[in-house]
Structures are given as C-alpha cells and as structure tokens.
C-alpha cells in the first residue's frame, strides 16, 4: 500500500509492506496515522493563528491549557537545546517555534501507530525526514536517497538499513531557513547535514542543530550515542562521521556515496 498525504506544509508518503514484501492492504491504521498528522498540524502549526502553539506564543493561553503533547514537545526541545549547546532553540527569530523537532516527532509517532496495528514493515516519509521500520522484503534493506543540495536532481548519498531514522537539514528545499541562535543570522554552515539513528524525533532535531553549528557539527555528532551524520559543505565537498559503514545489514545502518 502506498498513500500520499499533503499536511503540515509538505508531502507525507506511506509505503506499507506485508510479510512477503508486497504492498499490504492499507486498513484503518493508515487512516489513523494520517489523522494524527493533521492533529499535529492543528496543534503545532506556526502558520495557523488559532493553533495551540501560535496562541501560546502570543500569550493568549497558558501551557496548562494546551493539549498535553505541547508540554511533551517543549520538554524535548529544551533537552536538545541543552545537548546541542544552544544551537537548537525553541525561539528562532524571537518567537516560539518547535518546528525543528515536531515533524520528526510526528512521523515517529505515525510509524508507531502502524507498528501497533501489526504493520511492522513500512516507510513513512515526511518531507524528506524518513522513518524506516522492518524491511521492504525478506532479506532486503530499505534505501533512502539523500538529495544533493547544490546539484538539483542528483543524489549525494544513499542511506540503507532497517529500523532506522534519516533526517536532513539544508538549503535544497527551503533555502537558508535555519538560524544560528548565537548570532541571530541564517546559519552559514554546510549546505546540508543528514543524521541517521534509531529515533526520528532526535534525528530531526540533531540535523537542525548540526546545520546551525556549522564547522563544529562533525565533532559534536561524533559524541552522540547511536547517531551518525553525513554532510555536503558549501563548496560541494563531503564529510561523514566515523560510524557510517559502506553497506548496511539488518538492524544497522550505512551510507554509500553515489
């Protein structure tokens, strides 16, 4: 089963397989995951003036009056801000905005909905932030292309694996949208950073953090447990952390340059 959904200002895709690698019957679980994404958009959108986050940012409601997941997400953001030495922030451009974590968090929860319903083998892609669960077919790994930020239509790398999260932050789709919280100006680091690990919530936030911190990103990611990174610099050169492998195997991950 494949399903495409336009929500949260981007495109989400679902690819669900059965035990033989065929596309499975969608069932109600995909509808539940899609409904969850729309709920997240209603609660966390910074573009909708009546969302809980927009109202909280303007001081019209208290955190206690917001849906419970708002406090959960803000706590996660504060944790990443601490781990990233302030390069991840809840207040880019001076207003409350947890967007650097919310999309990955939403996709991670959508994937959990599918697994709980028995759809163990699936891929959920939210605007390039990808959660891979199980495998596409027995003995095979999922493969995710990483777009080259400086060469439209070209892949900079291919990530392959099972039970894996892949998140990219860069200029290819949205331009210079990540702010360096320490300067208040657009981040002047690599053209893109891709972070791979077990959880998309953190992979998404770590990719945003790494992009914002620029030259320090590689050493910082090296110190994160369970997460690795690949980057394309502003000149088109690339770097990767030491944990990437030429090829991946079951329940592991790897990256191969193309």
């Amino acid at each position: 089963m494949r399903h495409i959904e336009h929500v949260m200002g981007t495109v989400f895709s679902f690819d669900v397989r059965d035990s033989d690698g065929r596309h499975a019957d969608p069932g109600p679980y995909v509808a539940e995951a899609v409904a969850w994404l729309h709920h997240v958009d209603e609660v966390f959108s910074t573009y909708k003036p009546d969302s809980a986050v927009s109202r909280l940012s303007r001081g019209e409601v208290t955190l206690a009056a917001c849906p419970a997941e708002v406090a959960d997400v803000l706590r996660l953001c504060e944790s990443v801000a601490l781990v990233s030495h302030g390069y991840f922030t809840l207040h880019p451009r001076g207003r409350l905005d947890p967007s650097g974590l919310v999309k990955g968090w939403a996709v991670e929860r959508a994937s959990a909905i599918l697994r709980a319903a028995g759809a163990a083998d699936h891929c959920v892609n939210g605007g390039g932030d990808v959660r891979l669960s199980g495998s596409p077919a027995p003995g095979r790994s999922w493969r995710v292309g990483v777009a080259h930020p400086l060469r439209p239509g070209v892949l900079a790398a291919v990530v392959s694996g099972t039970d894996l999260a892949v998140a990219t932050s860069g200029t290819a789709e949205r331009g210079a949208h990540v702010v360096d919280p320490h300067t208040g100006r657009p981040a002047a680091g690599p053209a893109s950073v891709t972070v791979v690990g077990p959880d998309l919530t953190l992979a998404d936030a770590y990719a945003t953090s790494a992009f914002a911190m620029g030259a320090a990103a590689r050493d910082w990611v090296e110190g994160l447990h369970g997460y690795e990174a690949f980057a394309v610099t502003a000149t088109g050169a690339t770097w990767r952390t030491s944990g990437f492998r030429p090829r991946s195997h079951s329940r592991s991950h790897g990256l191969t340059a193309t």
Side-chain angles (χ1 to χ4, degrees), residues 59-200:
E60 297 174 1
V61 296
T62 65
L63 182 58
C66 294
E69 56 261 32
V70 175
D72 293 339
V73 164
L74 297 191
R75 280 193 293 269
L76 286 168
C77 288
E78 289 167 355
S79 175
V80 176
L82 183 63
V83 170
S84 67
H85 312 296
Y87 279 99
F88 185 92
T89 178
L90 264 170
H91 298 88
R93 299 181 176 86
R95 65 188 180 108
L96 180 66
D97 183 359
S99 300
L101 179 143
V102 163
K103 181 153 64 74
W105 172 79
V107 172
E108 186 69 36
R109 183 72 64 88
S111 175
I113 290 170
L114 298 182
R115 287 195 302 274
D121 299 313
H122 61 262
C123 169
V124 184
N125 183 338
D129 291 338
V130 184
R131 184 62 166 90
L132 308 172
S133 179
S135 61
R140 291 181 55 195
S141 297
W142 296 100
R143 290 170 60 83
V144 179
V146 178
H148 199 297
L150 305 177
R151 300 168 61 188
V154 174
L155 293 181
V158 175
V159 177
S160 60
T162 59
D163 296 315
L164 183 66
V166 184
T168 298
S169 182
T171 59
E173 297 296 329
R174 297 173 57 191
H177 66 287
V178 176
V179 172
D180 178 346
H182 298 293
T183 65
R185 297 190 295 271
S192 73
V193 179
T194 297
V195 173
V196 178
D199 180 89
L200 190 57

